[in-house]
Amino acid sequence: MKKKLILDVDTGVDDAQAIMIALSSPNVEVLGITCCHGNTPLKNVVKNTLRVLKVCKRLDIPVYKGFSQPLLDNKRHAGDYHGIDGLGDVPDLDAPGIELLQKEEAVQAMIKIAKQHPEEVILVATGPLTNLAVAVQLDPSFPKRLKALYVMGGNTDSRGNTTVCGEFNFVADPEAAYAVLERFNCPTYIATWEFSCRCSLPWSFCDELFSQKSEKAAFMKKISALSMAKAKSADYQKEVIAGGGFNPCDVFALAAAVDDSFITKKEEVAVTVELDGRHTRGMMVLDYMELLKKEHKVFIMKTVDLEKLKKMLINAVK
């Protein structure tokens, strides 16, 4: 049986790469894609998602519009890295129109799909967790119907990429991240910011990836140019941890959801999100001393099989 996935995205460049991996994986069925504010305003997220589906010739996959702002905080976007439009500022004059969006809202769609396939659906979240937090508020049984949740977000070493101690997806909606980590009791796997930095892909592989002779490879190369230039800058290299190559953050969560053997080392620990700190708001906190007395623990990815990831990316652009 194919794995059944819902992708919850804020489609920037790395979300696009993750979507393309999912669509090229023979053991995966994408049941729907739900969109959220994040890397770029929601109106761009839905357009970008449709652009990715178009180049993959998969406009049959339903796309749903979710929340355009966080639960309580001010909006944040990542235009300096992903481009103002979230997809490298390389517009497509023939991009699909938003009339292709489903009429149903993202949260309602998530809940409905999970009810239709109880304990079969894997939810992969690569943006702020606003849609997920509202879904569990509307239907507290929603997490129990999921097979698993895979998240790109949070951090383990208090190294931020948006604030002093905060990773973008969690900082973009701290209350949502807190609610999800408190109330989702399904198996939960997290690819954190520092982990993704340590797993950066060498620039030589990027050259190999973009040299593939296909429309998909040309598309990925075009949308990635701006973020790759940023990633190569001296200022950015000071911010990242180890690595020194290209960090496709969101693909780690997706790859783990697609291939159970992708994660080679993980640790199980209770986590929460700091909501009040002046410098630490949005930071993920790991409870190694078990002072939180939480029954549900998450799996933090530590090491992965990067050769498998490279193969997934190559297959994604064939």
Side-chain angles (χ1 to χ4, degrees), residues 97-231:
I98 59 173
E99 69 276 1
L100 295 179
L101 288 175
Q102 301 296 307
K103 304 302 181 187
E104 193 172 16
E105 295 293 326
V107 170
Q108 283 72 26
M110 279 183 180
I111 294 171
K112 183 181 75 174
I113 293 171
K115 284 182 178 178
Q116 292 172 339
H117 306 278
E119 298 183 26
E120 293 183 9
V121 175
I122 297 171
L123 177 54
V124 183
T126 56
L129 299 176
T130 313
N131 289 336
L132 282 68
V134 175
V136 72
Q137 180 66 24
L138 292 178
D139 182 358
S141 65
F142 171 61
K144 294 180 180 179
R145 295 195 182 98
L146 296 175
K147 181 176 181 180
L149 169 64
Y150 289 78
V151 173
M152 191 284 138
N155 50 6
T156 52
D157 305 342
S158 71
R159 288 285 298 265
N161 63 6
T162 303
T163 61
V164 174
C165 295
E167 176 276 332
F168 177 82
N169 286 340
F170 279 25
V171 170
D173 195 340
E175 279 72 23
Y178 176 89
V180 169
L181 294 182
E182 287 295 313
R183 302 183 66 184
F184 274 64
N185 50 11
C186 57
T188 302
Y189 299 80
I190 301 180
T192 66
W193 163 242
E194 298 96 334
F195 154 79
S196 68
C197 288
R198 296 186 183 104
C199 295
S200 294
L201 297 172
W203 297 118
S204 57
F205 171 74
C206 296
D207 294 338
E208 177 187 354
L209 178 66
F210 297 147
S211 69
Q212 304 299 308
K213 304 300 181 182
S214 70
E215 181 184 358
K216 294 178 186 177
F219 173 75
M220 191 179 289
K221 180 179 181 180
K222 182 168 64 173
I223 65 172
S224 301
L226 181 66
S227 56
M228 288 187 69
K230 172 72 174 178

Side-chain angles (χ1 to χ4, degrees), residues 17 36 49 56 58 91 143 160 172 176 216 248 286 302-303 306 311 314:
Q17 294 167 342
C36 183
T49 302
C56 294
R58 290 302 310 272
K216 294 178 186 177
L286 283 70
K302 304 297 287 185
T303 61
L306 289 179
K311 291 178 181 177
I314 292 292

Side-chain angles (χ1 to χ4, degrees), residues 269-307:
V269 61
V271 296
T272 189
V273 175
E274 175 59 50
L275 298 180
D276 300 319
R278 178 182 175 188
H279 298 297
T280 57
R281 177 168 161 78
M283 183 179 79
M284 188 169 74
V285 178
L286 283 70
D287 181 25
Y288 289 115
M289 295 177 67
E290 299 191 356
L291 299 178
L292 298 176
K293 307 300 181 185
K294 293 179 69 172
E295 291 185 12
H296 179 63
K297 298 181 180 181
V298 305
F299 296 102
I300 304 292
M301 299 183 203
K302 304 297 287 185
T303 61
V304 292
D305 189 333
L306 289 179
E307 291 306 312

Side-chain angles (χ1 to χ4, degrees), residues 221-242:
K221 180 179 181 180
K222 182 168 64 173
I223 65 172
S224 301
L226 181 66
S227 56
M228 288 187 69
K230 172 72 174 178
K232 288 181 178 180
S233 69
D235 287 343
Y236 183 85
Q237 287 299 316
K238 291 178 184 177
E239 300 172 13
V240 301
I241 304 99

